[in-house]
Amino acid sequence: MQANTVEQIAEVQRKYEELQQQFRAEAAEREAAAAAATREVEQRKKYDELQLQLQQMIQMF
């Protein structure tokens, strides 16, 4: 009976560790996606600013 209990505890620990690893991997994926989205927004903002500057320069001439 004790051996069975020890095996059950070991199985629960293994499943817990697997879930932790899966959670960490998913969190890393979400973090990477958020970072990519942030970079895209920043690049778009820079592009828009440059486009506006170009338009202003064209109007000056």
Side-chain angles (χ1 to χ4, degrees):
M1 180 150 176
Q2 283 183 331
N4 189 29
T5 301
V6 170
E7 289 175 12
Q8 287 177 339
I9 290 171
E11 180 66 16
V12 168
Q13 284 179 322
R14 184 188 64 74
K15 287 181 180 180
Y16 174 76
E17 290 170 2
E18 285 179 5
L19 287 173
Q20 275 189 318
Q21 289 176 346
Q22 181 180 356
F23 176 76
R24 286 185 190 118
E26 290 172 356
E29 288 176 18
R30 285 191 302 274
E31 188 174 321
T38 299
R39 282 190 303 274
E40 186 176 334
V41 167
E42 290 171 353
Q43 288 175 346
R44 186 61 161 152
K45 183 179 176 183
K46 287 179 184 178
Y47 174 82
D48 290 345
E49 289 172 354
L50 289 173
Q51 192 75 5
L52 181 60
Q53 287 177 2
L54 178 62
Q55 288 174 358
Q56 289 172 344
M57 289 176 71
I58 289 172
Q59 288 177 354
M60 288 176 24
F61 294 108

Short mmCIF file of all heavy atoms in Angstrom, two decimals:
data_model
loop_
_atom_site.label_atom_id
_atom_site.label_comp_id
_atom_site.label_asym_id
_atom_site.label_seq_id
_atom_site.Cartn_x
_atom_site.Cartn_y
_atom_site.Cartn_z
N MET A 1 0.82 -1.19 0.00
CA MET A 1 0.00 0.00 0.00
C MET A 1 0.87 1.26 0.00
O MET A 1 0.57 2.21 -0.72
CB MET A 1 -0.93 -0.01 1.21
CG MET A 1 -1.82 1.19 1.27
SD MET A 1 -3.34 0.75 2.05
CE MET A 1 -4.12 2.31 2.11
N GLN A 2 1.93 1.29 0.78
CA GLN A 2 2.81 2.45 0.79
C GLN A 2 3.49 2.64 -0.55
O GLN A 2 3.67 3.76 -1.00
CB GLN A 2 3.87 2.31 1.90
CG GLN A 2 3.33 2.60 3.28
CD GLN A 2 4.42 2.51 4.33
OE1 GLN A 2 5.38 1.76 4.17
NE2 GLN A 2 4.26 3.28 5.40
N ALA A 3 3.87 1.52 -1.18
CA ALA A 3 4.53 1.61 -2.48
C ALA A 3 3.58 2.25 -3.50
O ALA A 3 4.00 3.06 -4.32
CB ALA A 3 4.98 0.24 -2.95
N ASN A 4 2.32 1.85 -3.45
CA ASN A 4 1.32 2.42 -4.36
C ASN A 4 1.15 3.92 -4.11
O ASN A 4 1.06 4.71 -5.06
CB ASN A 4 -0.01 1.69 -4.18
CG ASN A 4 -1.02 2.09 -5.25
OD1 ASN A 4 -0.65 2.45 -6.35
ND2 ASN A 4 -2.29 2.03 -4.91
N THR A 5 1.14 4.32 -2.86
CA THR A 5 1.00 5.73 -2.52
C THR A 5 2.21 6.52 -3.02
O THR A 5 2.07 7.61 -3.58
CB THR A 5 0.85 5.90 -1.00
OG1 THR A 5 -0.32 5.17 -0.57
CG2 THR A 5 0.68 7.36 -0.62
N VAL A 6 3.40 5.96 -2.84
CA VAL A 6 4.62 6.61 -3.31
C VAL A 6 4.59 6.76 -4.83
O VAL A 6 4.95 7.81 -5.37
CB VAL A 6 5.87 5.83 -2.85
CG1 VAL A 6 7.12 6.36 -3.52
CG2 VAL A 6 6.00 5.90 -1.33
N GLU A 7 4.12 5.72 -5.52
CA GLU A 7 4.02 5.78 -6.98
C GLU A 7 3.02 6.85 -7.41
O GLU A 7 3.27 7.58 -8.38
CB GLU A 7 3.60 4.42 -7.53
CG GLU A 7 4.69 3.37 -7.45
CD GLU A 7 4.21 1.99 -7.90
OE1 GLU A 7 3.11 1.91 -8.50
OE2 GLU A 7 4.93 1.03 -7.66
N GLN A 8 1.92 6.94 -6.70
CA GLN A 8 0.91 7.95 -7.04
C GLN A 8 1.47 9.36 -6.83
O GLN A 8 1.25 10.26 -7.64
CB GLN A 8 -0.35 7.75 -6.21
CG GLN A 8 -1.16 6.55 -6.64
CD GLN A 8 -2.38 6.32 -5.75
OE1 GLN A 8 -2.43 6.81 -4.62
NE2 GLN A 8 -3.36 5.59 -6.27
N ILE A 9 2.19 9.53 -5.73
CA ILE A 9 2.79 10.84 -5.46
C ILE A 9 3.80 11.19 -6.55
O ILE A 9 3.83 12.31 -7.05
CB ILE A 9 3.46 10.86 -4.07
CG1 ILE A 9 2.38 10.82 -2.99
CG2 ILE A 9 4.33 12.10 -3.90
CD1 ILE A 9 2.90 10.61 -1.58
N ALA A 10 4.62 10.22 -6.94
CA ALA A 10 5.61 10.45 -7.99
C ALA A 10 4.92 10.81 -9.31
O ALA A 10 5.38 11.71 -10.04
CB ALA A 10 6.49 9.22 -8.17
N GLU A 11 3.83 10.15 -9.62
CA GLU A 11 3.09 10.44 -10.85
C GLU A 11 2.49 11.84 -10.81
O GLU A 11 2.55 12.58 -11.81
CB GLU A 11 1.98 9.39 -11.05
CG GLU A 11 1.14 9.59 -12.30
CD GLU A 11 1.91 9.39 -13.60
OE1 GLU A 11 3.02 8.82 -13.58
OE2 GLU A 11 1.40 9.82 -14.65
N VAL A 12 1.94 12.22 -9.69
CA VAL A 12 1.37 13.56 -9.55
C VAL A 12 2.47 14.61 -9.70
O VAL A 12 2.29 15.63 -10.37
CB VAL A 12 0.63 13.71 -8.20
CG1 VAL A 12 0.29 15.17 -7.92
CG2 VAL A 12 -0.64 12.86 -8.20
N GLN A 13 3.63 14.37 -9.09
CA GLN A 13 4.74 15.30 -9.21
C GLN A 13 5.20 15.42 -10.66
O GLN A 13 5.49 16.52 -11.15
CB GLN A 13 5.92 14.86 -8.34
CG GLN A 13 5.72 15.15 -6.87
CD GLN A 13 6.88 14.68 -6.03
OE1 GLN A 13 7.47 13.63 -6.29
NE2 GLN A 13 7.22 15.46 -5.01
N ARG A 14 5.27 14.28 -11.36
CA ARG A 14 5.70 14.30 -12.76
C ARG A 14 4.72 15.10 -13.61
O ARG A 14 5.12 15.95 -14.42
CB ARG A 14 5.80 12.87 -13.29
CG ARG A 14 6.33 12.77 -14.72
CD ARG A 14 6.25 11.36 -15.28
NE ARG A 14 4.89 10.87 -15.41
CZ ARG A 14 4.02 11.25 -16.35
NH1 ARG A 14 4.37 12.15 -17.25
NH2 ARG A 14 2.80 10.75 -16.42
N LYS A 15 3.43 14.89 -13.39
CA LYS A 15 2.41 15.62 -14.15
C LYS A 15 2.47 17.11 -13.83
O LYS A 15 2.34 17.96 -14.71
CB LYS A 15 1.02 15.08 -13.86
CG LYS A 15 0.76 13.73 -14.50
CD LYS A 15 -0.64 13.23 -14.21
CE LYS A 15 -0.87 11.88 -14.85
NZ LYS A 15 -2.22 11.36 -14.59
N TYR A 16 2.70 17.43 -12.56
CA TYR A 16 2.82 18.82 -12.15
C TYR A 16 4.00 19.48 -12.85
O TYR A 16 3.89 20.60 -13.36
CB TYR A 16 2.97 18.90 -10.63
CG TYR A 16 3.24 20.28 -10.11
CD1 TYR A 16 2.21 21.22 -10.03
CD2 TYR A 16 4.51 20.66 -9.70
CE1 TYR A 16 2.46 22.50 -9.56
CE2 TYR A 16 4.76 21.94 -9.23
CZ TYR A 16 3.73 22.84 -9.15
OH TYR A 16 3.99 24.11 -8.69
N GLU A 17 5.13 18.81 -12.90
CA GLU A 17 6.32 19.35 -13.56
C GLU A 17 6.09 19.52 -15.05
O GLU A 17 6.52 20.52 -15.65
CB GLU A 17 7.53 18.46 -13.28
CG GLU A 17 8.01 18.54 -11.84
CD GLU A 17 9.05 17.51 -11.48
OE1 GLU A 17 9.46 16.73 -12.37
OE2 GLU A 17 9.45 17.48 -10.31
N GLU A 18 5.40 18.57 -15.68
CA GLU A 18 5.07 18.68 -17.10
C GLU A 18 4.20 19.91 -17.35
O GLU A 18 4.42 20.66 -18.31
CB GLU A 18 4.35 17.44 -17.60
CG GLU A 18 5.24 16.23 -17.79
CD GLU A 18 4.46 15.01 -18.25
OE1 GLU A 18 3.24 15.12 -18.52
OE2 GLU A 18 5.07 13.93 -18.34
N LEU A 19 3.20 20.11 -16.49
CA LEU A 19 2.32 21.26 -16.64
C LEU A 19 3.08 22.57 -16.43
O LEU A 19 2.84 23.55 -17.13
CB LEU A 19 1.14 21.17 -15.67
CG LEU A 19 0.09 20.12 -16.02
CD1 LEU A 19 -0.93 19.98 -14.90
CD2 LEU A 19 -0.60 20.46 -17.34
N GLN A 20 4.00 22.58 -15.49
CA GLN A 20 4.82 23.77 -15.27
C GLN A 20 5.65 24.09 -16.52
O GLN A 20 5.74 25.25 -16.93
CB GLN A 20 5.77 23.58 -14.08
CG GLN A 20 5.16 23.90 -12.76
CD GLN A 20 6.21 23.89 -11.66
OE1 GLN A 20 7.07 23.03 -11.62
NE2 GLN A 20 6.12 24.86 -10.78
N GLN A 21 6.25 23.07 -17.11
CA GLN A 21 7.05 23.27 -18.32
C GLN A 21 6.18 23.79 -19.46
O GLN A 21 6.58 24.69 -20.21
CB GLN A 21 7.76 21.98 -18.73
CG GLN A 21 8.88 21.58 -17.80
CD GLN A 21 9.49 20.23 -18.18
OE1 GLN A 21 8.93 19.48 -18.97
NE2 GLN A 21 10.64 19.93 -17.61
N GLN A 22 5.00 23.20 -19.59
CA GLN A 22 4.09 23.64 -20.64
C GLN A 22 3.68 25.10 -20.40
O GLN A 22 3.65 25.90 -21.34
CB GLN A 22 2.86 22.74 -20.66
CG GLN A 22 1.85 23.09 -21.73
CD GLN A 22 0.65 22.18 -21.72
OE1 GLN A 22 0.58 21.21 -20.95
NE2 GLN A 22 -0.32 22.47 -22.55
N PHE A 23 3.38 25.43 -19.16
CA PHE A 23 3.00 26.80 -18.82
C PHE A 23 4.12 27.78 -19.15
O PHE A 23 3.90 28.83 -19.73
CB PHE A 23 2.63 26.88 -17.34
CG PHE A 23 2.32 28.28 -16.88
CD1 PHE A 23 1.10 28.87 -17.20
CD2 PHE A 23 3.23 28.99 -16.13
CE1 PHE A 23 0.80 30.15 -16.78
CE2 PHE A 23 2.94 30.28 -15.71
CZ PHE A 23 1.73 30.86 -16.02
N ARG A 24 5.35 27.42 -18.79
CA ARG A 24 6.50 28.29 -19.09
C ARG A 24 6.68 28.47 -20.59
O ARG A 24 6.97 29.58 -21.06
CB ARG A 24 7.76 27.71 -18.46
CG ARG A 24 7.83 27.87 -16.97
CD ARG A 24 9.17 27.39 -16.42
NE ARG A 24 9.14 27.33 -14.98
CZ ARG A 24 9.31 26.22 -14.26
NH1 ARG A 24 9.56 25.07 -14.85
NH2 ARG A 24 9.26 26.26 -12.95
N ALA A 25 6.53 27.39 -21.33
CA ALA A 25 6.69 27.47 -22.79
C ALA A 25 5.61 28.37 -23.40
O ALA A 25 5.90 29.20 -24.26
CB ALA A 25 6.63 26.07 -23.40
N GLU A 26 4.38 28.21 -22.95
CA GLU A 26 3.30 29.04 -23.47
C GLU A 26 3.49 30.50 -23.08
O GLU A 26 3.23 31.41 -23.88
CB GLU A 26 1.95 28.53 -22.97
CG GLU A 26 1.56 27.20 -23.58
CD GLU A 26 0.32 26.58 -22.95
OE1 GLU A 26 -0.22 27.15 -21.97
OE2 GLU A 26 -0.11 25.52 -23.43
N ALA A 27 3.97 30.74 -21.87
CA ALA A 27 4.23 32.11 -21.43
C ALA A 27 5.34 32.74 -22.28
O ALA A 27 5.25 33.92 -22.66
CB ALA A 27 4.60 32.14 -19.95
N ALA A 28 6.36 31.97 -22.58
CA ALA A 28 7.46 32.47 -23.42
C ALA A 28 6.95 32.79 -24.82
O ALA A 28 7.35 33.80 -25.42
CB ALA A 28 8.59 31.45 -23.48
N GLU A 29 6.07 31.95 -25.35
CA GLU A 29 5.49 32.20 -26.67
C GLU A 29 4.67 33.49 -26.67
O GLU A 29 4.77 34.30 -27.60
CB GLU A 29 4.61 31.04 -27.11
CG GLU A 29 5.36 29.79 -27.48
CD GLU A 29 4.44 28.63 -27.82
OE1 GLU A 29 3.24 28.86 -28.09
OE2 GLU A 29 4.93 27.48 -27.81
N ARG A 30 3.86 33.67 -25.62
CA ARG A 30 3.05 34.89 -25.54
C ARG A 30 3.95 36.12 -25.40
O ARG A 30 3.68 37.15 -26.01
CB ARG A 30 2.08 34.81 -24.35
CG ARG A 30 0.89 33.89 -24.58
CD ARG A 30 -0.16 34.04 -23.51
NE ARG A 30 0.33 33.78 -22.17
CZ ARG A 30 0.40 32.58 -21.60
NH1 ARG A 30 0.00 31.52 -22.26
NH2 ARG A 30 0.85 32.44 -20.36
N GLU A 31 5.00 35.99 -24.62
CA GLU A 31 5.92 37.11 -24.44
C GLU A 31 6.62 37.47 -25.75
O GLU A 31 6.75 38.64 -26.10
CB GLU A 31 6.97 36.75 -23.38
CG GLU A 31 7.85 37.89 -22.98
CD GLU A 31 8.78 37.55 -21.84
OE1 GLU A 31 8.36 36.82 -20.92
OE2 GLU A 31 9.94 38.01 -21.89
N ALA A 32 7.02 36.45 -26.50
CA ALA A 32 7.67 36.69 -27.79
C ALA A 32 6.69 37.34 -28.77
O ALA A 32 7.06 38.26 -29.51
CB ALA A 32 8.21 35.39 -28.37
N ALA A 33 5.45 36.90 -28.77
CA ALA A 33 4.45 37.47 -29.66
C ALA A 33 4.17 38.93 -29.28
O ALA A 33 4.03 39.79 -30.16
CB ALA A 33 3.16 36.66 -29.61
N ALA A 34 4.11 39.19 -28.00
CA ALA A 34 3.87 40.57 -27.54
C ALA A 34 5.05 41.46 -27.92
O ALA A 34 4.85 42.61 -28.35
CB ALA A 34 3.64 40.59 -26.03
N ALA A 35 6.26 40.95 -27.78
CA ALA A 35 7.45 41.73 -28.15
C ALA A 35 7.45 42.02 -29.65
O ALA A 35 7.77 43.14 -30.08
CB ALA A 35 8.71 41.00 -27.74
N ALA A 36 7.08 41.04 -30.45
CA ALA A 36 7.03 41.24 -31.89
C ALA A 36 5.96 42.27 -32.25
O ALA A 36 6.19 43.13 -33.12
CB ALA A 36 6.74 39.91 -32.60
N ALA A 37 4.83 42.21 -31.59
CA ALA A 37 3.76 43.18 -31.85
C ALA A 37 4.21 44.58 -31.46
O ALA A 37 3.94 45.55 -32.17
CB ALA A 37 2.50 42.79 -31.09
N THR A 38 4.92 44.68 -30.36
CA THR A 38 5.44 45.99 -29.92
C THR A 38 6.43 46.54 -30.93
O THR A 38 6.37 47.73 -31.28
CB THR A 38 6.10 45.87 -28.53
OG1 THR A 38 5.11 45.42 -27.58
CG2 THR A 38 6.68 47.18 -28.07
N ARG A 39 7.33 45.69 -31.42
CA ARG A 39 8.29 46.13 -32.44
C ARG A 39 7.57 46.60 -33.69
O ARG A 39 7.93 47.61 -34.30
CB ARG A 39 9.28 45.01 -32.78
CG ARG A 39 10.37 44.81 -31.75
CD ARG A 39 11.45 43.88 -32.25
NE ARG A 39 10.95 42.57 -32.65
CZ ARG A 39 10.78 41.54 -31.81
NH1 ARG A 39 11.07 41.65 -30.55
NH2 ARG A 39 10.33 40.39 -32.27
N GLU A 40 6.54 45.87 -34.08
CA GLU A 40 5.79 46.23 -35.28
C GLU A 40 5.12 47.59 -35.11
O GLU A 40 5.14 48.43 -36.03
CB GLU A 40 4.74 45.16 -35.59
CG GLU A 40 4.01 45.38 -36.88
CD GLU A 40 3.05 44.26 -37.21
OE1 GLU A 40 3.24 43.12 -36.74
OE2 GLU A 40 2.09 44.55 -37.94
N VAL A 41 4.54 47.83 -33.96
CA VAL A 41 3.90 49.12 -33.69
C VAL A 41 4.93 50.24 -33.72
O VAL A 41 4.69 51.30 -34.31
CB VAL A 41 3.16 49.08 -32.33
CG1 VAL A 41 2.75 50.48 -31.89
CG2 VAL A 41 1.94 48.18 -32.42
N GLU A 42 6.09 50.01 -33.11
CA GLU A 42 7.14 51.02 -33.10
C GLU A 42 7.65 51.31 -34.51
O GLU A 42 7.88 52.47 -34.88
CB GLU A 42 8.29 50.59 -32.19
CG GLU A 42 7.92 50.59 -30.71
CD GLU A 42 8.99 49.96 -29.83
OE1 GLU A 42 9.97 49.39 -30.36
OE2 GLU A 42 8.85 50.04 -28.60
N GLN A 43 7.83 50.27 -35.30
CA GLN A 43 8.28 50.46 -36.68
C GLN A 43 7.24 51.23 -37.49
O GLN A 43 7.58 52.10 -38.30
CB GLN A 43 8.57 49.11 -37.33
CG GLN A 43 9.83 48.45 -36.80
CD GLN A 43 10.03 47.05 -37.38
OE1 GLN A 43 9.13 46.48 -37.97
NE2 GLN A 43 11.22 46.51 -37.19
N ARG A 44 5.97 50.89 -37.28
CA ARG A 44 4.90 51.58 -38.00
C ARG A 44 4.87 53.06 -37.62
O ARG A 44 4.68 53.94 -38.46
CB ARG A 44 3.55 50.92 -37.69
CG ARG A 44 2.42 51.46 -38.49
CD ARG A 44 2.70 51.22 -39.93
NE ARG A 44 1.49 51.30 -40.71
CZ ARG A 44 1.47 51.66 -41.96
NH1 ARG A 44 2.58 51.93 -42.58
NH2 ARG A 44 0.36 51.70 -42.62
N LYS A 45 5.07 53.34 -36.34
CA LYS A 45 5.09 54.72 -35.87
C LYS A 45 6.25 55.49 -36.51
O LYS A 45 6.06 56.62 -36.98
CB LYS A 45 5.21 54.76 -34.34
CG LYS A 45 5.16 56.14 -33.77
CD LYS A 45 5.25 56.11 -32.24
CE LYS A 45 5.30 57.51 -31.67
NZ LYS A 45 5.45 57.51 -30.22
N LYS A 46 7.42 54.88 -36.56
CA LYS A 46 8.58 55.53 -37.20
C LYS A 46 8.31 55.77 -38.68
O LYS A 46 8.63 56.83 -39.21
CB LYS A 46 9.84 54.68 -37.03
CG LYS A 46 10.39 54.69 -35.63
CD LYS A 46 11.62 53.80 -35.52
CE LYS A 46 12.13 53.72 -34.11
NZ LYS A 46 13.29 52.81 -33.99
N TYR A 47 7.72 54.78 -39.34
CA TYR A 47 7.41 54.93 -40.76
C TYR A 47 6.43 56.09 -40.96
O TYR A 47 6.61 56.91 -41.85
CB TYR A 47 6.80 53.63 -41.30
CG TYR A 47 6.31 53.74 -42.71
CD1 TYR A 47 7.20 53.61 -43.78
CD2 TYR A 47 4.96 53.97 -42.98
CE1 TYR A 47 6.75 53.73 -45.09
CE2 TYR A 47 4.51 54.08 -44.29
CZ TYR A 47 5.40 53.96 -45.33
OH TYR A 47 4.96 54.07 -46.61
N ASP A 48 5.39 56.13 -40.13
CA ASP A 48 4.41 57.21 -40.25
C ASP A 48 5.05 58.57 -40.02
O ASP A 48 4.73 59.54 -40.72
CB ASP A 48 3.25 56.99 -39.27
CG ASP A 48 2.37 55.80 -39.66
OD1 ASP A 48 2.47 55.32 -40.82
OD2 ASP A 48 1.58 55.35 -38.80
N GLU A 49 5.94 58.66 -39.04
CA GLU A 49 6.63 59.92 -38.77
C GLU A 49 7.50 60.34 -39.95
O GLU A 49 7.50 61.52 -40.34
CB GLU A 49 7.48 59.80 -37.50
CG GLU A 49 6.67 59.71 -36.21
CD GLU A 49 7.53 59.39 -34.99
OE1 GLU A 49 8.74 59.11 -35.14
OE2 GLU A 49 6.97 59.40 -33.88
N LEU A 50 8.22 59.39 -40.53
CA LEU A 50 9.04 59.70 -41.70
C LEU A 50 8.18 60.11 -42.89
O LEU A 50 8.54 61.01 -43.64
CB LEU A 50 9.93 58.52 -42.05
CG LEU A 50 11.07 58.23 -41.08
CD1 LEU A 50 11.76 56.92 -41.45
CD2 LEU A 50 12.07 59.37 -41.08
N GLN A 51 7.07 59.45 -43.05
CA GLN A 51 6.15 59.78 -44.14
C GLN A 51 5.64 61.21 -43.96
O GLN A 51 5.57 61.97 -44.93
CB GLN A 51 4.98 58.78 -44.14
CG GLN A 51 4.13 58.84 -45.38
CD GLN A 51 4.81 58.20 -46.58
OE1 GLN A 51 5.88 57.63 -46.48
NE2 GLN A 51 4.19 58.30 -47.72
N LEU A 52 5.31 61.58 -42.75
CA LEU A 52 4.83 62.93 -42.47
C LEU A 52 5.93 63.95 -42.74
O LEU A 52 5.69 65.00 -43.35
CB LEU A 52 4.35 63.03 -41.03
CG LEU A 52 3.80 64.39 -40.58
CD1 LEU A 52 2.59 64.80 -41.42
CD2 LEU A 52 3.45 64.36 -39.11
N GLN A 53 7.15 63.66 -42.31
CA GLN A 53 8.27 64.56 -42.57
C GLN A 53 8.49 64.74 -44.07
O GLN A 53 8.74 65.85 -44.55
CB GLN A 53 9.54 64.03 -41.92
CG GLN A 53 9.57 64.17 -40.41
CD GLN A 53 10.83 63.56 -39.81
OE1 GLN A 53 11.70 63.06 -40.53
NE2 GLN A 53 10.92 63.60 -38.49
N LEU A 54 8.41 63.66 -44.79
CA LEU A 54 8.58 63.72 -46.25
C LEU A 54 7.51 64.59 -46.88
O LEU A 54 7.80 65.44 -47.74
CB LEU A 54 8.55 62.32 -46.85
CG LEU A 54 8.68 62.22 -48.36
CD1 LEU A 54 10.02 62.80 -48.82
CD2 LEU A 54 8.55 60.78 -48.81
N GLN A 55 6.28 64.43 -46.47
CA GLN A 55 5.19 65.24 -47.00
C GLN A 55 5.40 66.72 -46.69
O GLN A 55 5.15 67.57 -47.54
CB GLN A 55 3.85 64.76 -46.43
CG GLN A 55 3.39 63.44 -46.99
CD GLN A 55 2.13 62.92 -46.32
OE1 GLN A 55 1.60 63.54 -45.40
NE2 GLN A 55 1.65 61.77 -46.78
N GLN A 56 5.88 67.00 -45.48
CA GLN A 56 6.12 68.39 -45.10
C GLN A 56 7.26 68.98 -45.94
O GLN A 56 7.19 70.14 -46.35
CB GLN A 56 6.45 68.48 -43.61
CG GLN A 56 5.26 68.21 -42.73
CD GLN A 56 5.62 68.10 -41.25
OE1 GLN A 56 6.79 67.94 -40.90
NE2 GLN A 56 4.61 68.16 -40.40
N MET A 57 8.28 68.20 -46.20
CA MET A 57 9.40 68.67 -47.01
C MET A 57 8.93 68.93 -48.45
O MET A 57 9.35 69.91 -49.08
CB MET A 57 10.55 67.66 -46.98
CG MET A 57 11.25 67.60 -45.65
SD MET A 57 12.51 66.32 -45.61
CE MET A 57 13.75 67.02 -46.68
N ILE A 58 8.10 68.05 -48.97
CA ILE A 58 7.60 68.24 -50.34
C ILE A 58 6.77 69.52 -50.43
O ILE A 58 6.87 70.25 -51.42
CB ILE A 58 6.77 67.00 -50.76
CG1 ILE A 58 7.70 65.80 -50.96
CG2 ILE A 58 5.95 67.29 -52.02
CD1 ILE A 58 6.98 64.49 -51.19
N GLN A 59 5.97 69.79 -49.41
CA GLN A 59 5.15 71.00 -49.42
C GLN A 59 6.01 72.26 -49.37
O GLN A 59 5.61 73.30 -49.88
CB GLN A 59 4.16 70.98 -48.24
CG GLN A 59 3.06 69.98 -48.41
CD GLN A 59 2.13 69.92 -47.21
OE1 GLN A 59 2.38 70.56 -46.20
NE2 GLN A 59 1.06 69.15 -47.33
N MET A 60 7.17 72.17 -48.73
CA MET A 60 8.05 73.34 -48.63
C MET A 60 8.62 73.72 -50.00
O MET A 60 8.93 74.87 -50.25
CB MET A 60 9.17 73.09 -47.64
CG MET A 60 8.69 73.09 -46.21
SD MET A 60 9.93 72.68 -44.94
CE MET A 60 11.48 73.06 -45.64
N PHE A 61 8.76 72.76 -50.89
CA PHE A 61 9.35 73.04 -52.20
C PHE A 61 8.30 73.23 -53.21
O PHE A 61 7.55 73.38 -53.75
CB PHE A 61 10.29 71.91 -52.62
CG PHE A 61 11.48 71.83 -51.74
CD1 PHE A 61 11.64 70.79 -50.84
CD2 PHE A 61 12.50 72.79 -51.81
CE1 PHE A 61 12.76 70.72 -50.01
CE2 PHE A 61 13.61 72.70 -51.01
CZ PHE A 61 13.76 71.66 -50.11
#
